Amino acid sequence: MKVELQINNSANTNARYVTWAPSPCRIRVTDPSGVTTPTVAVQITSNSAPSAGAVVFRSGATGAFANSLTLQVPINGNSVPFFVAGKFGRPSVNDGDITVEARSGTTLVGSVKLMVRIRKNANSLSTAERDRFVAAFAQLNNQGTGRFADFRDMHVAISLPQAHGAAGFLPWHRAYLLDLERELQALDGSIALPYWRFDQAAPNIFTRDFFGVANATGTVQFSATNPLQFWRTDGVPGISRRPLFTTSSAPPGLRNESQTLALGNQYRNFRTMEGNPHGSAHVSFDGWIDDPATAPKDPLFFLLHCNVDRLWAKWQRQFSRFNPAVAASYDSNPSNRPGHNLPDTMWPWNGVTGGTRPPTAPGGTLASSPVATAPGPQPQVQSCLDFQGTLNAASRMGFDYDDVPFG
Amino acid sequence: MATKRKVAKRPAAVRRHKRAARAAQSRKGGVKSGAAGRIRAMAQTPLAVCESDRKLQETLTTLRDQTQASSVRRAALQMLQAASFSTIAFEPCRGDYVAALRAVVDDPDAELRERALGILAREKDGFAQKKLLDGLQNPDKALVAPEKALQLLANDVHAEGYAIARAMVKNPPNPDAKREALRLLAADATAAPLFESVLRDKDELREIRQVAASALQALRPEKMRAHAREMLMDKSEYDDIQATSLTALTHFGGEAVAQDDALMKSVDRLSGAPSAKVKQSARRFLQKYGR
């Protein structure tokens, strides 16, 4: 007998990534040889090293998770659904470092390798994780000729009102990061965008092997083995960034995580974090990252914003602010510019140009993922709130943070 | 490899304002406890400048006021910068902000001067670009070191910038200026032969050769591959240059590299090299190309 296990309801090997949020899966018998009953009991378990990721299972969309699950699977080839989620606190380190196994009795009848792909603190990445991330990012940039150029063009002076200074700041950047992350994952499926926790010392980020070390002029230097030495934007190689703080400690004057989460249980209060810590983190450097129009030229931008998004995710969980229908979850207002109210689609993914939108829409629609369908190719503001699918499983966007559990 | 570094001539503006700066510092006596409180307050609530014109004008005045402690003025600048990320709310403040930045580009405080010029240059501000070019053409008018001026001009390269950068490469006041001039020229497709010669010059500083490798790989990848092949076979070549070449070919080499058997043989030999970085780069290369 043989069974097929489909992760994220897909036979595509690129779909074999899960987060803390439950992923819909299914199992079906592909070869019923030796089975004489209409159904067969199949036990699903997982195997992984202690330092690798771990997953848990449940049979339905609700209920408790367990380390194993037994399902009655018909031999006629019909699928039986179940759910897999990363075990909180046990993210993967390498691609496919978990094996999900299906057994009939003691006989192994099917297995797949998968990964609990989670956004982690960049300061704590393993050497292999760091190197994979740097390689994928350099490849996406491809010396200024790659797809990264679209991401640079999305965040320029003329487009800033789409993304800054109003309620849509957080949803817009959530979509922006996800778009970039999915492009990185298309190059290397094991990549999850790491975050720079700017309220803590992060000396491992500011090394020549990772995001580089500034020389006296403020040009970032990389090791000879780091492909980011070939970084190029707007036709010019290199990165301009000089920290105004000692990189063995955190930048001074920034609200820390507790202070940020204490800004209030209303979104309109919480979003003032756009000034401090967000803006303050940007201007803790002298260089591209200190100016909104040039900030994404520096790849560190994406780690900084990943932390901004993580803080929003933490705040959402703390106050249950996933539901767009709850007024405190967002700050819709008739006076908001287009793109900043819940039902609005967001530029550039909506392709709308002219009028209150910029004259061009670089990059096309938001990248799709074999792991999750939300927020769709032309996301609305409201589709970026329930990112884990806590309220509606179909809203799951396919990312999670190492210190923000599901639900 | 040439490692000796000339000391850059101090920019004229620094000399000119040195006395005034000392006097201002002496008047203020550095950061006092009141100043520390103001700095903390400005850091905590950067968006306050968008909330009232009075607060904005107060912060702009602090930024311009040479009698204030440097740390307070820098905090005022950071407050304005942080608020500038809130673009819609900051829009009404932008004109006054840019005017204040222009007012401090020749300030006695070198750090403030450099940061104000940096912000303006990143915004492609013509006033700042002219100041930077003037300083490169006439060092008596320089507001920042030549390498910094070149770095900032690279934010918006024009033909005028190329001409001065070429002159700096020929006759650099210091190695940093040469490096930044080469970075600026990397946007100029006609500069490929220059990068080839810099890349192959073993007397050049490693970081300057690294810039040349990066520029050449982007402008003429086939030339870079040819040079890389030779440099990898050259036993007298520096480890970091070999590692840089291998990194370029591994990540950006493409199909032509995969089919280059002579190159594969050279790299295969280097996978057992004594240098850790060469060995690491060679192994990544072979892994990438399935050898």
Side-chain angles (χ1 to χ4, degrees), chain A residues 127 130-131 135 138-139 141-143 145 152 155 157 160-166 169 208 215-232 234-242 244 252-255 259 271-276 278-280 282-295 297 301 305 337 340, chain B residues 5 40 43-47 77-89 91 94 97 111 114-116 118-120 122-124 147-149 151-152 154-157 176 179-180 182-188 206-207 210-211 213-219 221 224 239-241 243-245 247-249 251-252 276-278 280-281 284 288:
Chain A
T127 302
R130 179 200 69 194
D131 290 348
Q139 198 181 335
N141 175 265
N142 196 19
Q143 306 166 98
T145 65
R152 191 275 169 274
H155 199 287
L160 292 173
Q162 304 297 314
H164 285 269
F169 165 67
R208 286 174 183 266
N215 65 18
T217 315
T219 297
V220 177
Q221 306 288 292
F222 294 101
S223 68
T225 54
N226 188 337
L228 289 179
Q229 70 188 288
F230 297 97
W231 188 261
R232 191 178 175 104
D234 300 348
V236 177
I239 295 165
S240 171
R241 180 208 314 140
R242 177 172 61 96
L244 303 174
L254 272 65
R255 282 195 183 109
Q259 291 167 328
R271 78 173 181 84
T272 62
M273 61 97 83
E274 184 178 2
N276 185 0
H278 158 260
S280 305
H282 272 282
V283 303
S284 60
F285 300 90
D286 175 38
W288 292 340
I289 200 167
D290 78 3
D291 188 296
T294 55
K297 282 161 63 74
F301 170 99
H305 267 277
R337 290 189 185 197
H340 289 278
Chain B
R5 181 170 292 201
R40 264 199 308 277
Q44 277 301 305
T45 54
L47 295 183
L77 177 59
Q78 272 187 289
M79 182 185 192
L80 290 159
Q81 281 185 281
S84 76
F85 274 84
S86 192
T87 45
I88 294 174
E91 196 50 42
R94 183 159 294 281
Y97 175 53
E111 173 72 14
E114 188 172 303
R115 275 156 68 176
I119 297 163
L120 290 169
R122 286 188 277 285
E123 304 254 341
K124 306 185 194 307
E147 58 272 22
K148 191 69 194 176
Q151 184 201 51
L152 295 181
N155 285 293
D156 186 23
V157 185
D176 289 345
R179 184 199 61 230
E180 293 304 326
L182 285 167
R183 280 185 67 233
L184 193 150
L185 286 170
D188 178 6
R206 182 190 71 83
E207 59 176 311
Q210 200 177 6
V211 171
S214 172
L216 190 60
Q217 174 64 30
L219 294 174
M224 178 62 201
D239 292 348
D240 36 23
I241 296 300
T244 286
S245 302
T247 302
L249 297 176
H251 294 275
F252 313 108
K277 57 188 146 190
V278 173
Q280 183 189 16
S281 307
R284 281 182 186 164
K288 162 84 181 280

Side-chain angles (χ1 to χ4, degrees), chain B:
Chain B
M1 195 184 295
T3 52
K4 206 166 179 180
R5 181 170 292 201
K6 289 177 197 166
V7 178
K9 195 179 172 190
R10 193 183 294 275
V14 180
R15 297 196 305 273
R16 206 163 44 240
H17 292 297
K18 205 172 167 184
R19 199 174 306 151
R22 268 203 305 268
Q25 284 301 315
S26 155
R27 277 198 300 279
K28 293 311 295 175
V31 185
K32 293 181 180 169
S33 57
R38 290 177 67 194
I39 292 168
R40 264 199 308 277
M42 286 192 277
Q44 277 301 305
T45 54
L47 295 183
V49 297
C50 306
E51 288 161 8
S52 80
D53 191 54
R54 185 191 58 77
K55 186 71 191 169
L56 171 69
Q57 295 306 330
E58 201 176 280
T59 310
L60 293 170
T61 301
T62 303
L63 170 61
R64 282 189 295 245
D65 185 356
Q66 294 180 15
T67 67
Q68 299 277 345
S70 292
S71 53
V72 174
R73 299 177 69 201
R74 291 174 197 175
L77 177 59
Q78 272 187 289
M79 182 185 192
L80 290 159
Q81 281 185 281
S84 76
F85 274 84
S86 192
T87 45
I88 294 174
F90 192 73
E91 196 50 42
C93 315
R94 183 159 294 281
D96 288 348
Y97 175 53
V98 169
L101 290 172
R102 288 177 180 167
V104 296
V105 298
D106 56 358
D107 196 88
D109 183 330
E111 173 72 14
L112 203 58
R113 192 168 66 233
E114 188 172 303
R115 275 156 68 176
L117 273 168
I119 297 163
L120 290 169
R122 286 188 277 285
E123 304 254 341
K124 306 185 194 307
D125 180 87
F127 172 85
Q129 289 172 340
K130 185 168 184 323
K131 290 273 183 192
L132 293 166
L133 275 170
D134 285 351
L136 286 169
Q137 283 155 351
N138 182 355
D140 281 344
K141 291 185 178 175
L143 300 171
V144 291
E147 58 272 22
K148 191 69 194 176
L150 288 160
Q151 184 201 51
L152 295 181
L153 283 169
N155 285 293
D156 186 23
V157 185
H158 292 116
E160 250 183 309
Y162 288 145
I164 193 80
R166 283 183 185 280
M168 285 278 169
V169 171
K170 268 190 193 160
N171 189 19
N174 62 58
D176 289 345
K178 183 168 186 177
R179 184 199 61 230
E180 293 304 326
L182 285 167
R183 280 185 67 233
L184 193 150
L185 286 170
D188 178 6
T190 66
L194 170 67
F195 292 119
E196 285 183 78
S197 71
V198 173
L199 175 63
R200 299 308 300 269
D201 183 354
K202 289 181 185 169
D203 290 333
E204 274 293 2
L205 289 172
R206 182 190 71 83
E207 59 176 311
I208 287 179
R209 296 181 73 195
Q210 200 177 6
V211 171
S214 172
L216 190 60
Q217 174 64 30
L219 294 174
R220 299 287 302 273
E222 77 288 356
K223 290 277 185 192
M224 178 62 201
R225 193 171 72 249
H227 287 295
R229 192 193 294 116
E230 287 173 23
M231 290 190 293
L232 294 174
M233 288 190 277
D234 180 353
K235 287 180 181 160
S236 69
E237 186 54 274
Y238 292 99
D239 292 348
D240 36 23
I241 296 300
Q242 287 189 326
T244 286
S245 302
L246 281 164
T247 302
L249 297 176
T250 302
H251 294 275
F252 313 108
E255 196 51 36
V257 170
Q259 291 171 1
D260 192 330
D261 287 336
L263 182 62
M264 290 294 161
K265 278 179 192 157
S266 305
V267 180
D268 200 35
R269 277 195 299 274
L270 290 172
S271 64
S275 159
K277 57 188 146 190
V278 173
K279 187 158 58 182
Q280 183 189 16
S281 307
R283 287 180 179 176
R284 281 182 186 164
F285 176 97
L286 294 169
Q287 192 180 7
K288 162 84 181 280
Y289 294 106
R291 302 292 177 112

Side-chain angles (χ1 to χ4, degrees), chain A residues 66-125:
Chain A
N67 290 327
S68 70
L69 177 68
T70 300
L71 298 167
Q72 290 295 325
V73 185
I75 63 166
N76 63 4
N78 285 350
S79 293
V80 174
F82 66 101
F83 291 83
V84 177
K87 190 173 190 173
F88 187 68
R90 287 284 305 276
S92 289
V93 178
N94 295 306
D95 206 350
D97 67 7
I98 302 160
T99 306
V100 172
E101 296 176 340
R103 290 178 192 276
S104 172
T106 57
T107 307
L108 183 70
V109 292
S111 69
V112 291
K113 288 188 178 299
L114 60 78
M115 178 182 198
V116 181
R117 190 172 61 189
I118 299 293
R119 295 179 178 177
K120 297 177 181 176
N121 187 333
N123 193 55
S124 309
L125 294 184

